[in-house]
């Protein structure tokens, strides 16, 4: 387990505190629709941090080709229908480029600034010259609207219980996932990024914003700056 990260509940827990069982149960929300509307039909997508394939599956059903990357073998063994690659995203070197590189799950907000730089370098290195990078950001009230909860019709309740500063601009966030038959928790580190800081981080990696895809700016399409 990484320092500052923790998880509890039945089943395997990844080094960043994610419970594999939770991700097999999470519903699919509007992410596939946002992605499909922002990229070319039939694109080959490099999905960084795919987890168990919650988003992979609906993308495959929409006719995309997906290469799914995750550091957790327990997560990747649940992925079906896509090529899988197991390893740290920031060290990825596939020797090929893709129409679309996707960095979801708010990974750009990792507490470790050097890891964030590595994630964005991987995005820039693997996107085709005429391709794009899709990035999921935290909403503007992610660390101020706390505690909060989201109740899904499936019976799942997601709670963000706390977000506490721990120094160097990083917050320790505690989340809870309650299903009718069990509860899982996760504690993780998150670095809030203003729009200005986010765009500076992209520029450092050789990327620039092409469009904010949602009204709350949580989904972004970036392209190579050169």
């Amino acid at each position: 387990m990484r320092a500052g990260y923790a998880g509890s509940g039945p089943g395997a827990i990844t080094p960043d505190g994610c419970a594999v069982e939770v991700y097999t149960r999470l519903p699919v929300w509007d992410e596939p629709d946002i992605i499909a509307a922002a990229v070319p039909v039939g694109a080959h997508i490099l999905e960084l941090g795919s987890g168990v394939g919650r988003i992979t599956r609906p993308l495959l059903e929409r006719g995309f080709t997906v290469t799914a990357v995750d550091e957790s073998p327990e997560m990747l063994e649940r992925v079906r229908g896509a090529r899988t690659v197991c390893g740290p995203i920031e060290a990825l070197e596939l020797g090929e480029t893709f129409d679309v590189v996707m960095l979801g799950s708010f990974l750009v907000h990792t507490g470790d600034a050097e890891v964030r730089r590595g994630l964005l370098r991987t995005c820039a290195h693997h996107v085709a010259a005429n391709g794009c990078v899709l990035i999921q950001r935290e909403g503007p009230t992610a660390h101020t609207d706390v505690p909060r909860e989201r109740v899904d019709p499936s019976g799942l309740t997601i709670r963000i219980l706390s977000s506490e500063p721990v120094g160097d601009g990083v917050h320790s966030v505690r989340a809870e996932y309650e299903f009718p038959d069990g509860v899982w928790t996760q504690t993780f580190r998150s670095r809030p990024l203003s729009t200005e800081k986010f765009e500076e981080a992209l520029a450092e990696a050789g990327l620039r914003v092409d469009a904010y895809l949602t009204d709350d700016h949580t989904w972004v399409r970036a392209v190579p700056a050169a």
Side-chain angles (χ1 to χ4, degrees):
M1 195 66 62
R2 294 193 184 99
Y5 292 76
S8 69
I13 305 291
T14 66
D16 58 357
C18 292
V20 175
E21 180 66 22
V22 165
Y23 281 83
T24 65
R25 297 177 176 216
L26 284 180
V28 177
W29 290 301
D30 59 355
E31 302 99 330
D33 294 332
I34 294 169
I35 295 161
V39 305
V41 174
H44 189 173
I45 299 174
L46 177 63
E47 185 185 6
L48 302 175
S50 66
V52 299
R54 185 178 68 90
I55 304 302
T56 313
R57 183 178 62 258
L59 292 177
L60 293 169
E61 292 170 352
R62 285 165 169 78
F64 297 105
T65 301
V66 181
T67 295
V69 178
D70 204 278
E71 69 173 357
S72 167
E74 294 89 352
M75 289 280 198
L76 280 181
E77 71 182 13
R78 310 291 184 99
V79 176
R80 298 289 182 270
R83 169 193 177 194
T84 60
V85 178
C86 188
I89 295 168
E90 61 271 27
L92 189 68
E93 177 51 78
L94 295 180
E96 58 187 297
T97 58
F98 297 80
D99 305 316
V100 180
V101 179
M102 187 172 73
L103 186 69
S105 300
F106 312 109
L107 291 175
V108 73
H109 291 278
T110 177
D112 189 323
E114 283 304 314
V115 171
R116 184 196 67 222
R117 292 185 180 99
L119 298 177
L120 291 175
R121 281 196 302 268
T122 292
C123 291
H125 184 66
H126 288 87
V127 67
N130 60 346
C132 66
V133 178
L134 300 187
I135 300 171
Q136 186 181 24
R137 301 174 61 214
E138 292 178 339
T141 61
H143 298 278
T144 57
D145 180 20
V146 179
R148 65 181 183 273
E149 69 177 29
R150 175 177 185 170
V151 180
D152 188 80
S154 66
L156 161 67
T157 300
I158 300 176
R159 299 184 181 93
I160 303 300
L161 302 174
S162 61
S163 175
E164 301 293 338
V166 291
D168 190 32
V170 177
H171 286 230
S172 176
V173 181
R174 182 170 172 80
E176 180 179 83
Y177 303 85
E178 182 179 352
F179 293 87
D181 61 344
V183 176
W184 287 258
T185 68
Q186 181 186 12
T187 300
F188 59 94
R189 296 289 173 93
S190 175
R191 181 182 295 273
L193 294 172
S194 66
T195 297
E196 179 182 11
K197 291 296 184 183
F198 171 70
E199 293 186 0
E200 286 177 0
L202 291 184
E204 184 182 13
L207 299 168
R208 63 174 177 83
V209 171
D210 179 57
Y212 287 96
L213 303 175
T214 54
D215 291 341
D216 60 4
H217 288 196
T218 55
W219 277 94
V220 184
R221 183 174 62 213
V223 295

